[in-house]
Structures are given as structure tokens and as C-alpha cells.
Amino acid sequence: MISPLEIAANAVMSVSIVLAGRNNVHSWWLGIVGCVMFAALFYSVNLYADVALQLFFIVTCAIGWLQWLRGAGGVALPISRAQVRALGWMTGIGLLATTAYGLMLQAYTNAYAPFIDSAVLMFSIVAQLLLMGRRVETWPFWLLVNTVSVPLYASRGLYLTAVLYAAYWINALASWFFWRRQMQAQAA
């Protein structure tokens, strides 16, 4: 059975995610509200890495909100590309952190799928950091996270969340193309 909390969290986050894909600053405050709800939901089904992720998102939503508004010397931050070197070290750290956190969850908690849950956590952090900096490469990372999240959430009975993460996958793909067009328009 789908809980009212799962419905509410997904409704708020759906709006937030679509707004992020449309490069809209209102995505951030809605993200804070949705993340608080998701933290409570994930705690109730023993997905502790996802609880930690929601806490991270709450903080980074506040920072991202300010950064998008005034992050380029007091004016709105433009969409740009990340450096290949930065993407490489972020990916490497994400893989190492996934392994370390997965081992910790496996050893000390009753976490379900600790390594998969940890991968969602770590690569969501990478994607969020790129999103905060308005880097177009955020969207391939969100595609990866959403690909892993759909079966994870379905396996815990969070069917609405799994279906919406499948929709978020489509949104991430569309957003990637949209941001690339906006970035090209900025340069012209």
C-alpha cells in the first residue's frame, strides 16, 4: 500500500525535479520540502543511506538556491561544462565512497542492499554538486542514479517512488538536451 507520505514526497519532488530540468530557481526550495518528507519515508523502510542523502540534499538545496541566484559575482550563475579532470576525480571518489559506505552499512546496520543503496547516495552527491554549479554534466549522473534507484525502490515496495524515478530518468534525459541548448544560446 502506498502511504500518504510517499505520495506527498513524490508530488513535491516531481515539481522540484521538473523545475530543475527547466533551469528554474524555484526547484531548490521545493527540494528542501520534498527531501524532509523523503528522509522520513526512507527511514521507515531501512534505507539509511537514502536518509543520509536527503539530509545532504536539504543543505545543498539551500546552498544551490543561493548559488543559482548570486553565484557568478552577484548575478545568476550560467550553465557551463565541468572539467574532464574534475569529473574523473569525482567519479573515482564516488566509487571508493560507495564501497566504503556499503561495507559500513553491511557490517553495522540491517540495511537492505547496502552497496546499491550506497551507490545511489554517492552518485547523487556527485550529481547534486554538479547541479549546484549549473554544470550540464549533472544530467548523465542523474540518469545513472535513476537507473539504479528504480529497481531498488521497487524491491522495497515503494512502487510509486520507483515509477516516478523512471519518469525522472526521462526528465533527466530531456533536461540534458534542454540545458545543452540553453548553454549554446548563452554562448551566442
Side-chain angles (χ1 to χ4, degrees):
M1 185 171 142
I2 299 172
S3 73
L5 179 59
E6 184 178 4
I7 293 168
N10 276 293
V12 171
M13 286 308 295
S14 292
V15 173
S16 175
I17 288 167
V18 168
L19 288 176
R22 296 328 255 163
N23 196 26
N24 187 306
V25 73
H26 295 292
S27 166
W28 294 106
W29 68 265
L30 281 167
I32 292 169
V33 174
C35 289
V36 168
M37 290 188 269
F38 266 121
L41 177 66
F42 291 141
Y43 183 80
S44 74
V45 295
N46 302 333
L47 290 174
Y48 304 124
D50 280 302
V51 173
L53 178 60
Q54 298 312 308
L55 298 176
F56 169 80
F57 280 158
I58 291 165
V59 171
T60 59
C61 280
I63 295 168
W65 193 0
L66 293 172
Q67 215 165 301
W68 275 31
L69 287 173
R70 296 184 188 93
V75 297
L77 193 65
I79 297 171
S80 62
R81 291 200 173 279
Q83 294 180 358
V84 173
R85 191 170 159 201
L87 292 172
W89 69 257
M90 291 173 96
T91 301
I93 289 172
L95 290 169
L96 289 172
T98 294
T99 302
Y101 197 64
L103 288 169
M104 185 193 75
L105 287 176
Q106 185 178 47
Y108 299 109
T109 73
N110 64 339
Y112 177 82
F115 292 97
I116 295 170
D117 197 19
S118 294
V120 169
L121 167 66
M122 296 309 165
F123 286 97
S124 291
I125 290 171
V126 170
Q128 184 76 353
L129 292 172
L130 291 167
L131 182 64
M132 289 169 58
R134 263 193 176 147
R135 304 286 192 245
V136 73
E137 293 83 4
T138 190
W139 299 110
F141 280 96
W142 285 122
L143 286 168
L144 170 69
V145 167
N146 294 335
T147 298
V148 173
S149 295
V150 170
L152 175 65
Y153 298 148
S155 72
R156 298 308 292 159
L158 300 173
Y159 300 114
L160 175 61
T161 301
V163 167
L164 284 168
Y165 269 73
Y168 298 160
W169 190 94
I170 294 166
N171 181 70
L173 186 61
S175 298
W176 189 10
F177 290 111
F178 180 77
W179 276 39
R180 287 182 7 188
R181 281 194 312 271
Q182 280 201 318
M183 189 174 65
Q184 290 168 350
Q186 282 173 189

